[in-house]
Amino acid sequence: MEKRFVYADNAATTRVTKPVLDAMLPYFTEEYGNASSIYALGRSAKKALETARESVAGSLGAETSEIYFTSGGSEADNWAIRSAAHRLAKKGKKHIITSVFEHHAVLHTCQALEKEGFEVTYLPVYENGIVRVEDVKNAIREDTALVTIMYANNEIGTIQPIPEIAAVCHEKGVLFHTDAVQAVGNVEIDVKAQGIDMLSVSGHKLHAQKGIGALYVRKGIPIDNLIYGGAQERNRRAGTENVAAIVGFAKALEIAVKDIPEKAEKITAMRNRLIDGLLKISHTRLNGDRNKRLPGNCNISFEGIEGESLLLMLDLNGICASSGSACTSGSLDPSHVLLALGLKHEVAHGSLRLSISNETTDEDIDYILEVVPKVAERLRAMSPLWERIIKEEVSGGK
Ligand SMILES: *Cc1c(COP(=O)(O)O)cnc(C)c1O
């Protein structure tokens, strides 16, 4: 078997594609004006900025005036949640509803608000990794300010019933925000049709560069100032605009939302082959609902294997992937997402996330399916944990 390079970590970040880079290039060396300047060079930057805003709005089903550019998904999440919380607290509403398996940009923001005196309800996601609409309904109180539930989970790819949750929120007059960073470009999203009040999106998860994203805020919902200074982003977020990044982001988003059903069908077929192939290895399980998941997400736990060792061995074989044990982020605790599904610590530790994209080929899948079983076998042969699992089985434990 010939060694290949296979990038299967598109949920972590993606490559900037050629059309996106080409759209950006003129804004570095030729169209470098400050969008606030009044001469032609500045006006041209301003025009590019506003055309990009119009395009981003169009890609999400929003109006141009409802889009604020940010430095990415984390900033958009922080801004939306903190602004809604602080504004509604003035009306005596200090309760927030979210889920246990949100991205840390949402969870840590909620935890910071708890320290300020807000009360937060963390809804469960059950074994399939999906929030129940009924739970949202039951959790809403008189003093609930905001519900924030992610559109699709970044680790296990499960897609949440967002239009249904939004409808429940509106019935009860509660604001609804969604972190749609993983979903945009993979699932068809129309903020108006789906009743979304606020939505976060990030560029680098959809083939734009890192450090750019946007927050959609429905017209009529006031939003706090994020950065004081100039009048950029309608006086809400000061600082000279990153025109090149914004233009690239708009281009990447435009490409991402095109032909979603066709792309999803192709990617889902590859992903299913990946899942079925890996589940042939003994003592494995698929994490998250099999069908209500992002086309490119495959998350499998291997009993008796350490996630880190698996990643290192895959790296030696040219495969970039990610694991559910969070040692990479400086913590020994397994992922909060996998624990939320009810996985035991040692099983969560042996998890592998492969996130494929439109650029993945059948040959890439063949290669992964050749490498992973061999690597898993070798790691288990050296694992005392695996030895114990097998011994317990032989002695009739299971
Ligand atoms: C990547 C990611 C973020 C953070 O986006 P950045 O642009 O990297 O700040 C937030 N939420 C989810 C679900 C993500 O996958």
Side-chain angles (χ1 to χ4, degrees):
M1 172 181 47
E2 204 175 321
K3 187 174 162 183
R4 297 170 72 88
F5 174 76
V6 177
Y7 186 74
D9 205 15
N10 288 278
T13 198
T14 59
R15 187 169 76 87
V16 171
T17 53
K18 186 76 169 49
V20 172
L21 181 64
D22 286 345
M24 292 171 71
L25 284 176
Y27 295 93
F28 291 103
T29 50
E30 291 147 45
E31 300 285 344
Y32 53 83
N34 184 321
S36 302
S37 303
I38 61 164
Y39 40 79
L41 194 70
R43 291 201 306 275
S44 151
K46 178 82 175 174
K47 184 153 182 289
L49 180 65
E50 292 317 318
T51 304
R53 197 186 307 278
E54 208 179 308
S55 162
V56 168
S59 296
L60 299 171
E63 289 172 33
T64 309
S65 64
E66 297 173 320
I67 300 297
Y68 296 86
F69 290 115
T70 67
S71 69
S74 301
E75 182 183 314
D77 286 340
N78 274 252
W79 193 6
I81 297 168
R82 292 176 57 79
S83 170
H86 290 147
R87 284 192 167 254
L88 287 157
K90 291 178 193 145
K91 296 182 180 164
K93 297 189 172 191
K94 298 194 76 174
H95 177 233
I96 296 163
I97 298 168
T98 186
S99 79
V100 289
F101 81 159
E102 297 293 313
H103 189 274
H104 284 129
V106 169
L107 281 184
H108 290 170
T109 301
C110 288
Q111 285 160 12
L113 288 168
E114 281 183 291
K115 291 210 177 97
E116 290 178 27
F118 286 85
E119 202 185 316
V120 181
T121 299
Y122 298 91
L123 298 176
V125 296
Y126 304 95
E127 210 208 327
N128 63 356
I130 296 176
V131 171
R132 292 187 188 163
V133 182
E134 203 56 27
D135 286 351
V136 177
K137 198 171 189 168
N138 293 334
I140 294 177
R141 316 189 309 212
E142 278 297 301
D143 64 340
T144 304
L146 172 78
V147 172
T148 173
I149 303 285
M150 70 198 321
Y151 211 120
N153 184 269
N154 45 303
E155 286 187 39
I156 55 172
T158 49
I159 298 168
Q160 308 304 307
I162 294 302
E164 292 81 359
I165 293 174
V168 162
C169 293
H170 289 162
E171 236 168 71
K172 307 245 185 176
V174 175
L175 268 186
F176 177 64
H177 166 258
T178 186
D179 173 340
V181 170
Q182 292 287 336
V184 173
N186 288 310
V187 180
E188 288 187 291
I189 297 179
D190 182 310
V191 288
K192 291 283 143 69
Q194 298 177 0
I196 296 164
D197 294 321
M198 296 189 282
L199 174 143
S200 304
V201 51
S202 172
H204 75 99
K205 303 285 172 74
L206 43 84
H207 300 286
Q209 71 163 87
K210 291 146 191 74
I212 185 69
L215 176 65
Y216 151 78
V217 182
R218 183 197 290 281
K219 202 165 46 187
I221 298 172
I223 181 120
D224 280 349
N225 261 45
L226 184 68
I227 302 175
Y228 294 95
Q232 293 90 354
E233 299 305 299
R234 289 183 297 284
N235 271 316
R236 293 291 180 269
R237 184 184 184 271
T240 305
E241 300 90 343
N242 188 344
V243 179
I246 289 169
V247 167
F249 172 51
K251 183 72 182 174
L253 185 58
E254 178 197 315
I255 296 170
V257 300
K258 216 185 286 163
D259 306 322
I260 288 180
E262 290 79 5
K263 287 185 286 190
E265 195 184 325
K266 177 191 146 205
I267 300 169
T268 301
M270 283 193 282
R271 179 210 66 200
N272 285 344
R273 199 155 70 82
L274 199 52
I275 291 175
D276 292 335
L278 294 179
L279 287 180
K280 282 194 192 129
I281 302 171
S282 82
H283 295 76
T284 50
R285 55 162 279 159
L286 174 68
N287 296 315
D289 193 274
R290 165 112 198 189
N291 300 310
K292 288 181 189 137
R293 70 191 299 131
L294 293 173
N297 179 288
C298 168
N299 188 311
I300 306 259
S301 289
F302 298 77
E303 280 185 57
I305 289 178
E306 271 295 328
E308 273 72 43
S309 325
L310 185 54
L311 292 190
L312 290 174
M313 297 279 271
L314 292 184
D315 184 33
L316 285 176
N317 285 281
I319 299 171
C320 304
S322 157
S323 144
S325 55
C327 297
T328 38
S329 61
S331 147
L332 280 174
D333 294 332
S335 124
H336 67 290
V337 175
L338 298 176
L339 294 182
L341 302 183
L343 262 65
K344 284 189 283 187
H345 273 242
E346 66 265 29
V347 177
H349 262 304
S351 298
L352 174 68
R353 179 188 71 187
L354 295 157
S355 44
I356 61 170
S357 79
N358 202 29
E359 300 190 332
T360 309
T361 63
D362 284 322
E363 288 71 34
D364 291 338
I365 304 290
D366 290 340
Y367 183 69
I368 296 172
L369 287 177
E370 246 185 283
V371 171
V372 177
K374 281 185 199 151
V375 166
E377 194 182 324
R378 201 171 326 150
L379 287 172
R380 279 174 171 172
M382 311 187 285
S383 156
L385 182 60
W386 177 246
E387 205 176 320
R388 207 179 68 209
I389 292 167
I390 294 304
K391 249 186 214 148
E392 274 170 18
E393 275 189 9
V394 170
S395 69
K398 190 161 114 191

